[in-house]
Amino acid sequence: MEKILDVKNLQVSFQTFFGEVEAVRDISFSLEEGKTLAIVGESGCGKSVTANSIMQLLPKPPVVYKGGEIIYKGEDLLKKSEKEMTEIRGNMISMVFQDPMTSLNPTMKVGAQIIEGVRRHRNISNEEGRKYAIEMLERVSVPQPEKRVNQYPHEFSGGMRQRVMIALAMASKPSLLIADEPTTALDVTVQAQILKLMKTLQKEFGASIILITHDLGVVADMADDVIVMYAGQIVEKGTVDDIFKNPSHPYTQKLLAAVPKLTMDRNETLHAIDGTPPDLYKPPQGCAFFDRCDQAMVICENHMPGFFDSGSGHYNRCWKNHPSYTRNGGAE
Ligand SMILES: Nc1ncnc2c1ncn2[C@@H]1O[C@H](COP(=O)(O)OP(=O)(O)OP(=O)(O)O)[C@@H](O)[C@H]1O
Ligand SMILES: [Mg+2]
């Protein structure tokens, strides 16, 4: 299958008054056409910086791209001008945010916003535009679309606004949809509806999706492939089956153990991950998870593990999985 996106050795930093924040530290991953890739990890691990880098939405400065490439359909997005990126955004790559108000214009009727988005790339009459906006609202199951098309974002409930944002994002039939925590602020029923809707639209338009979420239940439901990020790095990547059935990095194992289960006993406690991720002003020299890891070895403190392949594209960054690691001797 064709790769639609190929991120190679991406390094993104923020130059701040206090020094450099190494937000994304040499990450590589790719996405195949029509597939869904989930990015998971604790707060501050670099998920949004990765997504916003693909969209080139981060202001430079303070952001500096220190290295790497973001190849979309064979071309490096990091080399595109702002004019070229404007053409790509909203036309070929769209983004859905956690807070719809960040992408909806509060002073404009939603129909007009959908039409404006399409008009940037296609010449359509007012009447055609209106019809298309109504059709898009209908597709995302907004009731009474003929009436709703003339309303402002504040007249919609949170879940409905999220639908409108998805309609706006999908209106130009993008080949890549990036959704950053699209349902975190919604209640579970609405969340399920929105996710189902994204899946349906993906099938209809053949789009590929990057889904950023804290919710591993959503990942299991939606994703084909998963990358697990920690302290600006990818610590594990594989298919959804690899990650859920055979997690090989201690961080992934702990993330999974922290998910509440229906079968849990009343007295059973959840396995929270003790401690906090390291400061990215001065990221640790060795494994970033070292001080929270109950399987850590001497080597982990000062030596950064590379990627080990535990089988057909299932990669992880843990010394324990080094081919020479033996249970009693550690990595040799
Ligand atoms: N404008 C900024 N200036 C300095 N550092 C920043 C800035 N924006 C983000 N960072 C840092 O970059 C790192 C990655 O942030 P990012 O927003 O990508 O995290 P995230 O994984 O999306 O977290 P969350 O789950 O909370 O959304 C964090 O350490 C954060 O402090
Ligand atoms: Mg984020």
Side-chain angles (χ1 to χ4, degrees):
M1 210 174 270
E2 194 106 349
K3 273 187 199 169
I4 189 162
L5 186 77
D6 201 4
V7 175
K8 297 179 187 167
N9 304 104
L10 181 68
Q11 279 175 273
V12 191
S13 287
F14 289 87
Q15 302 287 5
T16 72
F17 180 72
F18 302 102
E20 180 181 340
V21 181
E22 298 181 38
V24 168
R25 305 191 289 147
D26 193 1
I27 64 166
S28 302
F29 63 92
S30 57
L31 174 60
E32 286 175 3
E33 241 168 55
K35 296 266 174 157
T36 300
L37 170 78
I39 306 183
V40 298
E42 269 164 301
S43 190
C45 67
K47 304 182 296 294
S48 295
V49 171
T50 303
N52 290 323
S53 298
I54 299 169
M55 288 295 269
Q56 291 285 287
L57 285 174
L58 300 167
K60 298 179 272 188
V63 164
V64 186
Y65 291 98
K66 305 209 77 172
E69 295 174 310
I70 301 175
I71 310 289
Y72 168 73
K73 294 195 168 175
E75 292 184 46
D76 188 358
L77 297 181
L78 291 180
K79 296 208 171 88
K80 297 274 177 203
S81 65
E82 182 48 34
K83 190 162 169 259
E84 289 170 312
M85 273 318 295
T86 310
E87 191 62 27
I88 290 171
R89 280 193 293 260
N91 185 12
M92 296 178 246
I93 310 179
S94 287
M95 196 155 169
V96 175
F97 300 89
Q98 176 177 351
D99 174 11
M101 283 319 234
T102 50
S103 41
L104 294 174
N105 180 344
T107 66
M108 231 173 135
K109 291 176 179 168
V110 300
Q113 295 188 50
I114 296 175
I115 298 166
E116 192 194 38
V118 177
R119 271 233 179 100
R120 247 182 267 141
H121 317 285
R122 206 156 26 109
N123 219 346
I124 49 170
S125 68
N126 283 350
E127 195 38 45
E128 277 175 312
R130 203 184 112 79
K131 266 197 198 141
Y132 188 62
I134 293 174
E135 187 192 318
M136 280 314 295
L137 291 179
E138 216 164 20
R139 286 238 176 119
V140 297
S141 305
V142 168
Q144 298 179 279
E146 288 89 0
K147 182 178 150 213
R148 293 297 213 159
V149 78
N150 291 320
Q151 290 184 331
Y152 291 93
H154 72 265
E155 297 177 76
F156 290 75
S157 67
M160 281 296 150
R161 264 206 293 263
Q162 205 74 349
R163 283 166 191 263
V164 171
M165 187 165 57
I166 290 174
L168 192 66
M170 298 306 283
S172 54
K173 304 188 176 150
S175 55
L176 173 60
L177 179 73
I178 303 176
D180 190 352
E181 305 273 0
T183 56
T184 307
L186 305 172
D187 70 59
V188 277
T189 353
V190 182
Q191 172 174 330
Q193 290 166 359
I194 299 275
L195 293 171
K196 195 165 159 229
L197 172 70
M198 281 176 52
K199 259 189 180 169
T200 314
L201 291 174
Q202 175 179 38
K203 271 204 197 113
E204 212 170 303
F205 294 124
S208 312
I209 296 179
I210 293 181
L211 178 67
I212 295 174
T213 177
H214 282 108
D215 189 331
L216 289 170
V218 169
V219 175
D221 233 24
M222 295 280 293
D224 299 295
D225 297 298
V226 184
I227 62 183
V228 182
M229 286 189 74
Y230 187 75
Q233 295 177 315
I234 293 176
V235 294
E236 184 158 357
K237 61 182 167 185
T239 63
V240 76
D241 267 5
D242 288 338
I243 301 294
F244 280 87
K245 294 195 182 142
N246 193 17
S248 23
H249 194 284
Y251 179 60
T252 317
Q253 291 164 359
K254 289 211 167 203
L255 273 184
L256 288 168
V259 179
K261 294 184 188 60
L262 271 178
T263 49
M264 266 173 110
D265 199 271
R266 235 169 227 281
N267 305 320
E268 238 177 292
T269 46
L270 274 176
H271 301 280
I273 311 177
D274 290 334
T276 49
D279 198 336
L280 295 177
Y281 275 116
K282 282 198 180 63
Q285 231 188 331
C287 172
F289 194 55
F290 170 75
D291 59 351
R292 301 171 81 189
C293 181
D294 48 21
Q295 302 173 51
M297 302 176 290
V298 177
I299 189 174
C300 307
E301 185 170 9
N302 293 313
H303 299 272
M304 175 107 65
F307 266 114
F308 307 118
D309 185 354
S310 48
S312 60
H314 179 190
Y315 291 94
N316 70 87
R317 224 180 227 286
C318 174
W319 282 119
K320 221 179 43 148
N321 298 308
H322 186 281
S324 320
Y325 171 74
T326 51
R327 258 176 208 293
N328 42 8
E332 291 154 356

